């Protein structure tokens, strides 16, 4: 399975944005190495936003382009349709619900078979979660101290489109997220412009 292997903090500094979610990721950021620290052309700005969004969700270029093509066919604004599709990825929702401390860890949990969707094991990180789907931690995996502690202690990050059930180690997507509810600092219109020229 192809995945982004670049050091996370170095990637964050280069993109000029904390795409990993780690509190120390931008500690050494003010050294002028970020792409947005330099004057960029219109194309450069569009490319930077695309790379930032890809890095947020840990998606490779080919798969990201596929998401864009699907979003372009959607009746909703393309930028919102793209982010909505990315937000509904199983690995992302495992992270949002609080089973893991990063999307990379969430992807590993999914691939290793620790996550159930509606009671059935799903080991595909890009699996598209639908409304009312219940994402839960496998019974056996609840004995893992790291998984259990991460889930039970992760009470600060709550999202209005998700309901968390601590007693059953699960979470449910109750509706599609609104654009303003998705906590990512991205100008999605620049990404749409980038792909509309290709």
């Amino acid at each position: 399975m192809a995945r982004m292997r670049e050091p996370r903090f170095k990637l964050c500094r280069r993109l000029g944005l904390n795409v990993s979610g780690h509190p120390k990721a931008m500690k050494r950021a003010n050294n002028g190495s970020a792409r947005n620290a330099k004057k960029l052309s219109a194309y450069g700005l569009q490319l930077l936003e695309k790379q930032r969004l890809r890095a947020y969700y840990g998606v490779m270029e080919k798969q990201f382009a596929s998401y864009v093509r699907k979003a372009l066919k959607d009746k909703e604004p393309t930028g919102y349709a793209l982010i909505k599709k990315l937000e509904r990825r199983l690995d992302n929702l495992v992270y949002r619900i609080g089973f893991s401390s990063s999307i990379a860890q969430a992807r590993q949990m999914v691939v290793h078979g620790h996550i159930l969707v509606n009671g059935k094991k799903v080991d595909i990180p890009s699996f598209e979660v639908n409304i009312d789907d219940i994402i839960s931690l496998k019974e056996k995996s609840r004995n893992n101290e790291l998984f259990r502690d991460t889930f039970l202690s992760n009470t600060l990050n709550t999202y209005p489109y998700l309901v968390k059930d601590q007693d059953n180690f699960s979470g449910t997507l109750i509706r599609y997220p609104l654009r303003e509810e998705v906590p990512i600092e991205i100008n999605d219109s620049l990404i749409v412009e980038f792909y509309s020229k290709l």
Side-chain angles (χ1 to χ4, degrees), residues 32-163:
S33 63
R35 284 183 183 170
N36 62 338
K38 305 169 181 69
K39 190 173 181 181
L40 295 173
S41 64
Y43 174 83
L45 288 169
Q46 292 164 4
L47 180 63
L48 177 61
E49 287 301 285
K50 183 201 63 145
Q51 301 291 47
R52 284 174 166 179
L53 188 59
R54 270 189 57 217
Y56 257 123
Y57 291 98
V59 179
M60 300 300 284
E61 180 61 44
K62 191 174 179 182
Q63 192 176 28
F64 188 81
S66 173
Y67 279 115
V68 173
R69 284 194 297 272
K70 290 174 186 173
L72 285 165
K73 295 174 185 174
D74 206 292
K75 293 175 184 175
E76 294 176 305
T78 306
Y80 169 58
L82 173 61
I83 288 174
K84 190 169 79 170
K85 286 180 185 301
L86 289 166
E87 193 66 16
R88 289 168 57 203
R89 284 174 57 97
L90 179 58
D91 56 356
N92 176 69
L93 290 178
V94 166
Y95 167 60
R96 295 272 190 243
I97 289 167
F99 288 118
S100 67
S101 55
S102 69
I103 288 183
Q105 186 187 11
R107 181 176 289 111
Q108 190 176 50
M109 288 176 73
V110 172
V111 169
H112 289 183
H114 297 290
I115 300 298
L116 306 176
V117 178
N118 299 326
K120 295 179 182 177
K121 185 178 85 171
V122 177
D123 57 7
I124 302 166
S126 61
F127 177 85
E128 196 171 275
V129 177
N130 293 309
I131 292 171
D132 294 331
D133 280 353
I134 299 169
I135 302 164
S136 58
L137 190 61
K138 197 166 73 173
E139 191 81 43
K140 193 176 177 182
S141 304
R142 295 175 194 180
N143 298 324
N144 183 306
E145 197 173 317
L146 174 65
F147 296 162
R148 188 179 65 248
D149 292 351
T150 301
F151 180 72
L152 295 175
S153 64
N154 207 331
T155 55
L156 294 177
N157 291 341
T158 55
Y159 303 93
Y161 48 96
L162 294 169
V163 170

Side-chain angles (χ1 to χ4, degrees), residues 19-31:
V19 293
S20 73
H22 196 286
K24 294 182 180 177
M26 301 299 285
K27 198 173 180 182
R28 293 166 47 205
N30 298 322
N31 61 1

